[in-house]
Amino acid sequence: MLIFPGKKANTHKGLIEQTILEKYNHYYRLACSYTHNEDAAKDIVQNGAYKALRNHHTLKDPQFAETWLYRIMLNECFQYMRQPKHISYESILEDGGAELGSTEDTYANIDLQKAIDMLPEKDKAIVTLKYFEDKKLEEISAILGENTNTVKSRLYRSMKKLRSALEDGSAQSNDGQHTGKAGEKNDL
């Protein structure tokens, strides 16, 4: 029995604050992978942090604080993705990072990003957490509240879809090009 019931809640609040500060960049990268917009990602992390701190008393086990926070951030990402988007000419230029006459590609692998974006929300979350956040399957299953075997099978199916999408994309980009075997001259 706690003499000061607020004491436990305050320790959770401190733990949550500390975890948010330590993992802020992870949450930000996660949000960026969904939004592709720095400002929106910052808003998502800020809203997620606010909700976590406001509801700190719902954290049952302090050892799962990081998992609990990831779940909150993912839910914020999902909520953002469901909102209708308002597009302006300025936002298109900003998001694309394009200036008139600019030919520089700002994305490391735009085909991979497009393929990941085509996945359903939970499959995208699994791929992002596994390969971009280096989470173990057990951690991912705890974050998403699903069985580990379900996460494994979804990851396998998602990777198969990504492989197929990337192969289709590379086949389409090579259709108009003449390629020869190594060491042969191409007379074009």
Side-chain angles (χ1 to χ4, degrees):
M1 180 176 166
L2 291 172
I3 297 174
F4 300 107
K7 204 68 166 163
K8 180 180 178 186
N10 287 339
T11 60
H12 287 333
K13 189 173 183 178
L15 175 64
I16 291 168
E17 287 175 353
Q18 179 183 357
T19 306
I20 290 170
L21 291 174
E22 289 174 2
K23 299 290 183 175
Y24 179 86
N25 289 335
H26 295 273
Y27 302 138
Y28 176 72
R29 275 197 322 261
L30 178 70
C32 277
S33 72
Y34 278 90
T35 63
H36 309 294
N37 181 325
E38 292 179 9
D39 293 332
K42 289 175 187 175
D43 288 345
I44 286 171
V45 175
Q46 182 178 0
N47 290 341
Y50 171 74
K51 286 181 180 179
L53 291 170
R54 186 183 67 197
N55 297 314
H56 62 89
H57 59 279
T58 62
L59 177 62
K60 294 180 179 113
D61 192 349
Q63 75 181 29
F64 296 116
E66 186 177 332
T67 302
W68 184 73
L69 282 164
Y70 263 106
R71 184 176 290 183
I72 290 171
M73 296 301 172
L74 274 173
N75 286 336
E76 286 296 309
C77 290
F78 295 156
Q79 182 179 351
Y80 173 83
M81 299 304 288
R82 285 188 288 269
Q83 292 176 350
K85 307 292 182 270
H86 303 287
I87 300 174
S88 68
Y89 179 71
E90 290 82 17
S91 68
I92 292 172
L93 288 178
E94 262 181 36
D95 291 345
E99 294 179 23
L100 295 176
S102 172
T103 58
E104 184 178 339
D105 187 9
T106 57
Y107 296 105
N109 192 340
I110 200 161
D111 293 333
L112 176 61
Q113 192 60 53
K114 283 182 181 180
I116 290 173
D117 287 343
M118 291 173 46
L119 293 173
E121 284 182 351
K122 283 196 175 185
D123 294 346
K124 181 179 177 181
I126 291 170
V127 171
T128 302
L129 290 170
K130 174 70 176 154
Y131 294 106
F132 296 101
E133 295 297 323
D134 295 325
K135 295 291 180 190
K136 295 178 183 173
L137 292 175
E138 294 78 19
E139 292 175 306
I140 297 170
S141 66
I143 290 169
L144 297 177
E146 293 187 1
N147 185 330
T148 304
N149 289 329
T150 303
V151 170
K152 283 182 189 178
S153 63
R154 284 185 142 181
L155 179 62
Y156 175 77
R157 280 194 311 264
S158 297
M159 295 307 293
K160 198 172 180 180
K161 287 178 188 176
L162 288 174
R163 217 174 278 120
S164 174
L166 290 174
E167 286 172 359
D168 290 347
S170 67
Q172 289 175 359
S173 67
N174 288 336
D175 284 346
Q177 298 176 359
H178 177 62
T179 58
K181 293 180 185 173
E184 288 183 5
K185 256 190 184 177
N186 290 335
D187 296 35
L188 291 179

